[in-house]
Amino acid sequence: MQRHLLRRRALLASAALAAGAPALAACGPDIASDGESGGSSLLKAPDRTEGEITIWDRSGDLFEVFEGVIADFNAKYPDITVNHVAVDIDAKLQNTLITGADVPDGVFLDDAKVGGFTDYLWDLSDVLAPYAADIAQQKLDVNTVAGGVYGVPFDLDPGLLFYNATALEAAGIDVAAIATYDDLLQAARDYQAAVPGSAPIHLEQSAFLGQLQLEMYASQLGTSIADADGALRLDTPEFERILTFLDTIRSEGLGTRAEYLTPTDIAELDNGNQVFYPWAIWFSFAPQQVLTETAGDWRAAQLPAWDAGGARSGAMGGSSFVLPKDGPNADLAWLFYEFLMFDEAGYTAVWGPGDVYPEGLATSIPSYTPAADPAKPLYTEITALGGQDLWTVATEAGAQIPGGTPTPAWWAGAVDYLGNNVQRMLDGDMTPQEVLAQSSEDIQTNLVDRQ
């Protein structure tokens, strides 16, 4: 659970950190003006392959995964020493960039934070150019601000429909027949009729995670709470449709209201009352590490579509690697990230079976499409999912995610309005229309207009 709690805290802090970050003067590796107004700085690939780089990652399982790849990297670049440091990035990064002292060469950063830190970071458009056509569009979009690309995309986190196959089969529910969200509602009604007292669909009780899940649903419809220019676009038919779906679950008593993987949530998953969980691929951590009674009973499918033939997945969360301008050897750090993400030896070491994840890093898929080839799995059968080939399900879902936009610096601040109002709706105190109107007014007045 540590990885996902860290992910949650990092995303929650992102807007507050990014919004207050002043621009820094560039120094370090070679730069080139892109010719646009303001002249962003383009990182160039190095003409040297020796030196020392400092890489910041958060402590936890992914730190250990990246640590394990360093030996593979040094097999290709023996003269580059990697100083890999576990850091509380949320606590240290902003002040480090402001002072310009002891700035790392590379940092693991949540996608939600990249758009607010671009004044600190190298524009990676040139070095990414050979790979850009093969990177998931959504990941390129979230890292692109004013024409520059500021992060090396790491994971793709497609939304999936996790379901308790054993419980549903016993109730006579055919998951293969669930093609739309209307179908999901009907399947929940049928399950509840077969298992009286059950509340089949997860309803997220955390304001923050509920807003993150809301963006997953919106991603399927090709929208988000802000457009590419950061303008608010919340009070729309798409968001009304999503909130109406959630409100229907509430009003018909079809949902288990709980916060992601808290004791209540786990208990309702393990006792068969909660059998549908529309969530990012990283929910696969639950049957692998958390659930006791129903581990092995769960499976993953593509999300339902909003309309027949529509996208069967949307993005929920994600991270990238950024290169600070004041990092003295950021150009060499680019070689490290290039190896991890775009070299077969690198991405195989990251996602394939290893010491940290013996069956493979099955909580995400690569954002680089040659690495996410359904025909060349980096991991396959997951024991806790009954031996299901999660790779095929996830890569097919990931290929359907529409493009995205950079996460605005005020996104986490919007939880005080949108996230909380969604919870009020699930309490029965607001309608979907009231949530959208009130949240839009408050976000525009208190966050967007004050930038």
Side-chain angles (χ1 to χ4, degrees):
M1 186 181 298
Q2 182 182 25
R3 175 186 179 198
H4 305 299
L5 293 177
L6 285 170
R7 179 196 297 268
R8 176 186 168 193
R9 288 198 294 266
L11 285 168
L12 188 59
S14 64
L17 289 173
L24 294 179
C27 62
D30 254 358
I31 65 173
S33 173
D34 62 10
E36 295 180 359
S37 177
S40 65
S41 298
L42 291 168
L43 184 72
K44 297 296 183 181
D47 56 6
R48 59 195 176 108
T49 57
E50 60 180 30
E52 181 174 348
I53 58 175
T54 297
I55 301 295
W56 280 9
D57 285 312
R58 292 191 294 268
S59 62
D61 56 343
L62 286 181
F63 178 89
E64 299 301 329
V65 168
F66 298 142
E67 179 78 10
V69 182
I70 293 174
D72 300 274
F73 173 72
N74 283 143
K76 183 171 184 176
Y77 295 105
D79 297 323
I80 299 178
T81 300
V82 181
N83 180 27
H84 191 211
V85 186
V87 172
D88 185 344
I89 293 171
D90 294 334
K92 291 193 65 173
L93 181 61
Q94 183 183 21
N95 286 339
T96 297
L97 294 176
I98 289 172
T99 62
D102 299 321
V103 177
D105 300 299
V107 180
F108 183 72
L109 197 64
D110 296 290
D111 291 339
K113 192 175 298 183
V114 173
F117 274 126
T118 55
D119 285 338
Y120 299 76
L121 307 175
W122 289 103
D123 179 351
L124 306 177
S125 300
D126 275 11
V127 291
L128 284 173
Y131 308 106
D134 292 319
I135 297 173
Q137 190 62 48
Q138 184 267 338
K139 291 292 289 193
L140 275 180
D141 290 346
V142 299
N143 280 292
T144 299
V145 178
V149 184
Y150 292 90
V152 180
F154 170 52
D155 56 346
L156 188 63
D157 291 338
L160 299 172
L161 178 63
F162 289 90
Y163 62 95
N164 185 326
T166 301
L168 290 169
E169 182 178 356
I173 308 299
D174 180 10
V175 175
I178 301 175
T180 68
Y181 282 105
D182 287 338
D183 295 336
L184 178 59
L185 288 173
Q186 187 57 51
R189 295 179 186 113
D190 293 343
Y191 184 82
Q192 192 175 71
V195 184
S198 63
I201 303 175
H202 177 73
L203 277 180
E204 181 55 46
Q205 195 166 24
S206 158
F208 171 76
L209 289 173
Q211 183 170 302
L212 192 65
Q213 186 193 39
L214 187 67
E215 288 275 68
M216 177 191 77
Y217 291 131
S219 174
Q220 281 187 271
L221 290 168
T223 191
S224 55
I225 66 174
D227 66 16
D229 297 320
L232 184 64
R233 56 173 179 185
L234 176 61
D235 196 354
T236 64
E238 291 84 0
F239 276 98
E240 183 174 355
R241 185 176 189 182
I242 297 164
L243 291 184
T244 299
F245 164 73
L246 296 174
D247 197 43
T248 299
I249 298 173
R250 174 204 64 81
S251 65
E252 294 190 21
L254 298 173
T256 293
R257 185 96 175 276
E259 186 173 345
Y260 172 71
L261 296 190
T262 54
T264 297
D265 197 38
I266 293 167
E268 295 302 294
L269 290 166
D270 263 343
N271 66 21
N273 285 335
Q274 185 178 203
V275 295
F276 292 118
Y277 216 109
W279 205 257
I281 186 176
W282 32 277
F283 177 83
S284 65
F285 174 83
Q288 292 184 81
Q289 299 288 338
V290 178
L291 302 180
T292 56
E293 300 300 320
T294 59
D297 294 341
W298 289 83
R299 305 288 186 273
Q302 295 182 32
L303 286 174
W306 288 102
D307 295 297
R312 295 293 297 268
S313 189
M316 184 175 175
S319 303
S320 295
F321 304 105
V322 298
L323 302 167
K325 290 179 182 178
D326 278 355
N329 292 305
D331 53 344
L332 295 181
W334 154 250
L335 296 180
F336 181 65
Y337 294 135
E338 180 185 39
F339 177 77
L340 260 62
M341 294 299 97
F342 308 122
D343 188 299
E344 185 173 2
Y347 59 68
T348 300
V350 171
W351 273 279
D355 292 339
V356 181
Y357 284 96
E359 293 185 318
L361 184 59
T363 54
S364 70
I365 58 173
S367 58
Y368 182 51
T369 55
D373 186 345
K376 297 179 180 179
L378 298 178
Y379 55 80
T380 53
E381 293 81 8
I382 304 301
T383 301
L385 293 174
Q388 183 183 21
D389 178 4
L390 182 61
W391 178 264
T392 297
V393 176
T395 53
E396 289 177 356
Q400 296 192 54
I401 298 175
T405 62
T407 303
W410 46 261
W411 191 94
V415 174
D416 290 340
Y417 309 105
L418 176 59
N420 285 340
N421 285 338
V422 170
Q423 294 305 310
R424 291 178 63 192
M425 181 191 76
L426 296 179
D427 289 334
D429 295 335
M430 295 183 78
T431 67
Q433 295 78 15
E434 288 170 340
V435 170
L436 296 176
Q438 187 63 56
S439 301
S440 294
E441 179 180 347
D442 290 340
I443 292 170
Q444 186 68 45
T445 301
N446 297 317
L447 299 176
V448 180
D449 290 346
R450 292 185 178 181
Q451 291 189 107

